[in-house]
Amino acid sequence: MRLALPRWAGALAVKAALFITVMCCALAALLGVLVHVSVTNQTVGQARDLALQRLEDATSAYEAGDTLGPFAGVDPPGLPTSLRDLAVAGDRGTMVASRDGDPTMWAAGPADGDRALAVRVDYRQQARTIAALDRSILWSSALAIGATLLVGAFAVTRVTRRLHATARVARRISAGDLDARVDDPRTKDPSRPQDEVAAVAAALDSMAASLQGKLLSEQRFTADVAHELRTPLTGLHAAAELLPPGRPTELVRDRVGALRTLTEDLLEISRLDTGRERVELDTEPLGALAERVVRASGTDTEVVVVRDVSVETDRRRLERVLGNLVANAHRHGRGPVSLTVDGPVVIVRDHGDGFPEYLVEHGPQRFRTDGGSKGHGLGLTIALGQAEVLGARLSFANAAGGGAVATLALRSFAV
């Protein structure tokens, strides 16, 4: 079973800091243990050699019947039992033990009978040396870990900052800003080292430039096609007006009209895609404007004014947005269709099958169809583009009781 990490552990900087800390602690512990063992062995070895040398001298004096020194004796008090048993068995040995609270190095060997001859060496200085060494190792390790962690965090933060900048640019591109670029200095200076973050930034900039070029080519192609179609369509429309009355003539005129509308929609989308549209602001009563749009649509749409306001907006563009929403509700939904004005918010609702899921989640997409349906054409795309020019927010949802709901929220208004 995989161990679930806390949410704060997801950040790259935190993970890197933890990794650096663990590695520094492990390295410091390893080096500390090696130094401690080496110095301790050396210190203990020197004290043991001194104790054994004194034991040798004490043994010679004891065998000669001379007086033993102040630090030697037979079965002296404080002699460790295990060391005495070793000496009584006929062997020599050394041991560090506490005597009257002080560390002492003992050396013992066999004497006559079941007794042991032992000497002691003051081990306090050596113990203080080892303790001071351990403190020095701890302090130096803590200092080294802190310094390494700061340097590592600084280095990792620089990398993560560049990654965050790249992610922000990617989000801007995803939102439609194809002019956004990372512009990492490392990608422009060949003499500087090219790391992986720079490679990602260069790839993102290259992708954005390629995508922008293709989109501009598509926009130019759409605008050129729509523009070139206007002249023959004008002639075709004039010729259709000269046809004698009858059902075939009505069909021809209807199709020519639909083709002219499609051409005008393509031209309008091309202008919106350029991002150079400018609004002509004026103060308009929103309720009266909504009623005017419904009358012009010639549809059976109920207008409900909950709270009327005067908005500062571009009247032509706002009428275009509301007109497209009403037309879409009748063309792709079912009645009854209502247009509700509630302050700066306008809601258009029908009682059909509702918007497709892709449209609710991602917004309208040109000519897209879903599940064999006839799609939503260009009307909603134009409505969304004109709303963005107005600085308004147009959202799409499905009502709980069935039907599609389009909500237009204007940014500023005056009572």
Side-chain angles (χ1 to χ4, degrees):
M1 182 177 178
R2 185 176 180 180
L3 180 62
L5 294 176
R7 295 186 62 181
W8 57 265
L12 178 60
V14 174
K15 289 183 177 180
L18 289 176
F19 176 77
I20 293 173
T21 303
V22 171
M23 293 303 297
C24 287
C25 290
L27 183 60
L30 177 61
L31 292 178
V33 169
L34 292 177
V35 172
H36 173 83
V37 170
S38 177
V39 174
T40 300
N41 288 339
Q42 181 179 2
T43 303
V44 172
Q46 292 175 352
R48 180 183 295 111
D49 292 341
L50 177 59
L52 290 175
Q53 180 60 45
R54 289 186 178 181
L55 178 62
E56 184 70 27
D57 296 340
T59 301
S60 299
Y62 179 76
E63 292 176 349
D66 297 336
T67 303
L68 299 178
F71 300 104
V74 177
D75 290 336
L79 178 64
T81 304
S82 57
L83 183 60
R84 182 182 182 282
D85 293 340
L86 179 67
V88 170
D91 295 323
R92 289 186 176 185
T94 59
M95 175 180 290
V96 177
S98 177
R99 181 177 181 274
D100 297 332
D102 296 327
T104 303
M105 171 65 75
W106 289 92
D112 54 341
D114 292 334
R115 296 187 301 173
L117 177 63
V119 297
R120 65 179 185 274
V121 174
D122 188 2
Y123 196 72
R124 288 177 295 180
Q125 182 61 40
Q126 290 84 345
R128 285 194 294 268
T129 300
I130 295 175
L133 174 65
D134 291 341
R135 288 193 297 270
S136 299
I137 291 175
L138 289 176
W139 281 107
S140 60
S141 298
L143 182 62
I145 291 172
T148 305
L149 185 59
L150 289 177
V151 174
F154 174 74
V156 172
T157 301
R158 293 188 61 187
V159 175
T160 55
R161 188 183 300 116
R162 293 167 60 198
L163 288 175
H164 283 306
T166 304
R168 284 196 300 270
V169 172
R171 286 191 289 267
R172 288 174 56 190
I173 294 173
S174 177
D177 184 8
L178 297 183
D179 292 325
R181 297 292 185 273
V182 180
D183 287 332
D184 195 312
R186 291 169 177 77
T187 62
K188 298 181 179 181
D189 188 359
S191 62
R192 301 184 67 176
Q194 303 294 310
D195 57 8
E196 289 77 4
V197 179
V200 172
L204 182 63
D205 288 347
S206 177
M207 180 199 70
S210 176
L211 185 61
Q212 186 177 39
K214 292 179 180 179
L215 185 58
L216 291 176
S217 298
E218 177 188 344
Q219 292 173 357
R220 285 194 296 267
F221 174 77
T222 302
D224 292 343
V225 168
H227 187 270
E228 293 297 326
L229 284 176
R230 297 184 73 179
T231 301
L233 279 176
T234 301
L236 188 58
H237 177 74
E241 294 297 327
L242 299 176
L243 293 175
R247 181 59 179 168
T249 299
E250 293 178 0
L251 292 176
V252 171
R253 290 176 179 175
D254 179 69
R255 293 300 89 194
V256 170
L259 192 55
R260 290 188 66 184
T261 301
L262 177 60
T263 303
E264 295 298 327
D265 288 346
L266 288 175
L267 283 173
E268 185 170 359
I269 285 180
S270 298
R271 291 193 298 268
L272 291 172
D273 285 341
T274 61
R276 299 173 183 173
E277 292 286 270
R278 296 293 180 267
V279 296
E280 298 178 1
L281 296 178
D282 196 5
T283 303
E284 295 285 340
L286 192 53
L289 186 145
E291 293 176 352
R292 188 165 60 246
V293 168
V294 170
R295 286 196 303 269
S297 68
T299 59
D300 183 16
T301 303
E302 179 186 9
V303 178
V304 180
V305 179
V306 178
R307 180 167 61 94
D308 196 7
V309 295
S310 294
V311 296
E312 188 178 19
T313 186
D314 188 317
R315 178 181 58 81
R316 180 186 66 83
R317 296 184 188 277
L318 183 56
E319 289 179 347
R320 177 67 159 154
V321 174
L322 297 181
N324 281 16
L325 294 179
V326 170
N328 182 82
H330 284 279
R331 185 177 300 116
H332 300 286
R334 288 191 300 271
V337 177
S338 63
L339 187 153
T340 303
V341 177
D342 187 2
V345 178
V346 181
I347 302 172
V348 178
R349 179 185 176 183
D350 62 54
H351 288 76
D353 297 329
F355 291 120
E357 289 299 327
Y358 78 85
L359 193 148
V360 174
E361 294 180 4
H362 307 290
Q365 301 175 25
R366 305 171 192 179
F367 302 111
R368 173 169 176 174
T369 59
D370 188 60
S373 65
K374 58 185 178 180
H376 285 74
L378 299 176
L380 294 184
T381 303
I382 293 175
L384 183 62
Q386 293 288 13
E388 291 177 352
V389 174
L390 292 174
R393 183 171 60 88
L394 179 59
S395 58
F396 304 93
N398 291 320
V405 179
T407 303
L408 178 68
L410 299 172
R411 178 175 297 177
S412 60
F413 66 97
V415 179

